Amino acid sequence: MDFRVLGPWEVTAPDGPVSVPSGHLRVLLAAFLMSGGRPMRIDALAERLWTEQLPADARGTLATYVSRLRRLLGNERILTCSGIGYRIDLPTGAVDLFRFRDALDRARKASSVDEELALLREALGLWRGQPFTGVDSTWIDRDVVPKLTEEWFTATERRVDLELAQGRSGALVAELWDLTNTYPLRESLWFRLITALHRSGRRADALAAYQRVRALLGDELGIDPGDELQRLHHAVLVDGTVSQPSPPKGETGTGPHQLPHDNARFTGRESDLEALDALLPDKSTVDTSPITIVAIDGAAGTGKTTLALHWAHGVRDRFPDVQLYLNLRGFSSGEPVKAAAALESLLRSLGVSNEHMPAELDERAAMLRSSLAGRRALIVLDNARDAQQVRPLLPGSGSLVVVTSRNQLRPLSIRDGAHRVTLRRLGHDEALALLAVGVGADRIRAEPAASARLVDLCDRLPLALAIVAERAQRAGSLAEVVHALADEVARLDNFGAGADDPYTDLRAALSWSYRTLEPGAAAVFRKLGLYPANDITVEAVAALADLPVPRAKLALDQLVAAHMVEQRRPERYELHDLIRLYATDEARRNESPAEVEPALNRVFDWYLHAVISADTALLPHRRRAFVEPYQAMRPVPSFADHDAAMRWFEQEYDCLRSAISWGATHGWGAYAWRIAIGMTSFLERRIPWPEGLEFLELACRAARAAGDRTGEAYTLNSLGCFHLDQAEWATAQHYFRLAHACFRDVGDRRGQGMAMGNLGMAHTSMGDPENGIRYGTEALERCREVGYKRGIALNLDSVGMAYCVAGDPERAMECHQQASVLFTELADPDEGPRNDHNLGRAYAASGRYPNAIRVLGKALRAFRRLGNRRWEAIVYVDLAKTLNAAGHPGLARGCWESAVVVMKQLGDPRAQDIEEIIETAPPEVAAAALDVFSGQPFPVGPAASGGKAARTRAPRLTAVPATENGYQVRAFPA
């Protein structure tokens, strides 16, 4: 029999087609076919047949379906596996999917490009359309089709790459146009189309294609093309050569390859490398083998990272699709990287933008597995604290994960099947060989006794040997080095640092090397021991050490050469954990309080004003009185546009978070809260809501710890805004009242107006427009008194919202139109769209649906352009409600579903509520219930304009079945 699933469903017997009835019978047969002949448990089969709810007698119903399938295919085809379930007895060649995969496997092993190309064409020729067309199954649609489609993309793009390399650019253009029209959001296809057009001499068409994909990505996703497409566009613009060499067999060339550089002078560890090699699956089974996890443990300084990276580089050809590296900082001076933050870093490396980043840990872990499905990935997780930190970061099959840790990670071995390799100190001969790499084999042979003593003094630790070897290159003889190093060991013993310290020898090596540094490099090294984060840019080092940037860079280069500082990424530096401890000790001993405090002051000041510079690029008209009284001590980065500022924030986010956390608990709260307040625009636009809330709560604690009422006022106000955006109005009111009291205590009238206006919005949102108008009008007058034009516009918008809820959309429109004029004069890119959103709501409340849809669409495009996903979701909800009222329920449902997608990505707790409502209630009931998610309720249509709101806001609403055919809207606690 022949089974064809790569397109419309077909089953053919020798005597003709076999008709398998649609429904559960086809799903059952599909589950058997996907199993490849392996036994299938009854519970696994049941989960595939009934993804939502199992029938009362799932086992009996399944047995009935199996009997029917046997009658169609023959009893000998479906076998009962005693105590397990069932399996299908078929050669894999009977299913076109497995013929496809077999051809791909042979293509990877092909001995020539022509042979590989022929096999790829053979494999792709088996596809006739979307897999499993005609099989109605949630399991197929969710778990099977996406992975198979990705396999088809990988094979297709590989074939295109080979044909481009053979000079067939012109012949490929038509096919690539069809593919980009069918899959317009897949950037890799546009990359190949633009390449083919340019190589065919069609430069203008190539540039036009880039503009088309740029517009598509902007309109659909609110993002710019990726770095590869942008570089390609630049090459076409300057009419340079577009080079896309054919990648190695099996490599698509589209995945990140982040492994830090290998150590070209690596030596020794032969037995460890052999043990590691033995753990790899056979090359021919990499794609289908389970995940391979290798945990390398050992004491600090034994060279775990160096070995892991050296071995990873040696086997990377087996995992060509993706190669990732992440330092989990399990034993650094600060907090270890949380699993959620680690997943965010890995997903960002895989191209997941922040606005599409899931908020919850489990969702991020699932996205990582999905992103790596069907890709041969190599991931190095360095410096792990424990198995719990690592477990969520594990991908699915066909991947290699290398973990290094000072702990043995036994739970990872027991539960997840990790292979453990424990790294000991080097053997004597290996230590001598490593020393010879640094100082030269001739010197080792010339002074064998001194060489032997030297490796003993270094306790055969690779890190210590590397440091000593670098210094020994400039010494007269190895005997002199031995004498100096022995003196250092004795000195540490005399100071009481060596008796119980297992790393006395490493400390001696560090001390000896440190004492020979030039004064400028030594001073920078000590200052790095004061620094609160885990990596640092040269500009921040310059601020910390009070040096011009070129001199700071020179000092860092000297420290890198001496193995005192590592540079694993361009322009970013970090210290090994043990070296950081040594640097901190040296700073404590040699830096006076008169030197330490100014150094920390400079680096915190640099971060504060760099944050303000970036925030100014995001929101030019924001008042930043909270920065007072601090003035920038040094030049800080300037940012050409919004995108450059966002990139800087994303790159520095971990450092800023560490600096705020450290500053809040070490007496630098005044800087900590100001840096956090300077980041609120970025937090709102890019960071999932729970994480942003945690960030601001930390800043508030920092202000309180510093006894800073102004800092409390600003952070409490920002916390209120965060809760207001999440429709947690009572909590928002609480924070705004506290903020207003703090501003009053310090005599800040502008701040009082800000908090009062926000308090008015919170009252409006809770269905109390009278107080919304009262507080908003009072805030408006405060802003007019002090001549704060942006504040006037903001409060006109707020009062307009209150009038709309009060049932007076005409006065609401007047307020919003006045605000619109001011926002236009201010060219405010952030608040202008919010006012447009509220103007659209007022139009809808007065029954002017075309105007409402036009203005809401304008606001939606603006928020998408700004990358403000949170407000994009809010506008989607209101646009859906307006479309539904205008007689377009289908379009309304699409907008609600889009809102759910965005809210889930941002960790918005209302997403599940919206989803439940639109799934269970008819459109007119959903519209009523979903008032709650729009920021403020508003009645839709002219009938509601009689001066009183048609509905009063409840804390939360949901639509629940009341009778067999009816629904009611029920309140439940916020």
Side-chain angles (χ1 to χ4, degrees), residues 19 27 58 272 289 399 520 784 809 836 919 935:
S19 177
V27 179
D272 294 307
S289 63
S399 298
R784 283 175 172 151
D836 286 337
E919 288 299 323

Side-chain angles (χ1 to χ4, degrees), residues 171-386:
L172 288 167
V173 167
E175 177 190 0
L176 287 167
W177 269 122
D178 286 342
L179 287 171
T180 51
N181 285 331
T182 306
Y183 307 101
L185 301 182
R186 191 171 180 93
E187 292 187 52
S188 56
L189 293 175
W190 287 98
F191 185 97
R192 288 162 173 83
L193 171 61
I194 295 168
T195 299
L197 287 167
H198 187 254
R199 290 185 182 179
S200 302
R202 299 169 60 178
R203 181 172 177 243
D205 290 338
L207 293 171
Y210 176 81
Q211 294 304 324
R212 182 175 174 187
V213 65
R214 183 173 181 271
L216 278 168
L217 293 172
D219 290 343
E220 295 295 327
L221 303 177
I223 62 174
D224 288 328
D227 291 342
E228 287 187 356
L229 264 180
Q230 292 189 39
R231 285 194 294 268
L232 176 61
H233 176 237
H234 178 73
V236 176
L237 274 175
V238 301
D239 207 17
T241 302
V242 178
S243 172
Q244 187 194 30
S246 179
K249 285 191 300 181
E251 183 174 338
T252 64
T254 58
H257 297 81
Q258 295 181 337
L259 291 182
H261 64 83
D262 189 10
N263 187 335
R265 305 170 78 181
F266 184 91
T267 187
R269 298 291 188 194
E270 297 299 332
S271 61
D272 294 307
L273 289 169
E274 289 176 7
L276 290 168
D277 286 339
L279 301 176
L280 286 176
D282 185 81
K283 286 185 178 182
S284 62
T285 62
V286 166
D287 289 344
T288 57
S289 63
I291 180 176
T292 301
I293 308 169
V294 177
I296 303 174
D297 62 76
T302 51
K304 298 182 296 295
T305 300
T306 302
L307 175 66
L309 290 175
H310 178 73
W311 184 58
H313 277 278
V315 301
R316 64 181 178 176
D317 62 313
R318 297 196 189 191
F319 306 92
D321 300 331
V322 173
Q323 295 157 18
L324 300 172
Y325 170 85
L326 185 63
N327 184 354
L328 296 176
R329 302 198 296 269
F331 299 90
S332 298
S333 58
E335 288 292 318
V337 178
K338 293 181 180 179
L343 282 164
E344 181 180 341
S345 296
L346 294 174
L347 288 170
R348 192 182 294 129
S349 298
L350 292 168
V352 178
S353 57
N354 283 62
E355 59 264 31
H356 293 105
M357 191 73 63
E360 299 300 324
L361 175 68
D362 290 345
E363 292 177 357
R364 289 184 180 181
M367 178 175 278
L368 178 70
R369 293 192 296 271
S370 298
S371 299
L372 294 176
R375 304 166 81 178
R376 290 156 296 174
L378 167 57
I379 305 177
V380 178
L381 301 175
D382 196 14
N383 201 16
R385 182 77 175 189
D386 50 36

Side-chain angles (χ1 to χ4, degrees), residues 128 136-137 275 313 605:
R128 299 168 293 112
D136 185 13
S137 163
H313 277 278
D605 187 82

Side-chain angles (χ1 to χ4, degrees), residues 21-36:
S22 60
H24 287 112
L25 212 57
R26 285 191 185 180
V27 179
L28 178 61
L29 179 52
F32 280 131
L33 294 178
M34 289 298 296
S35 74

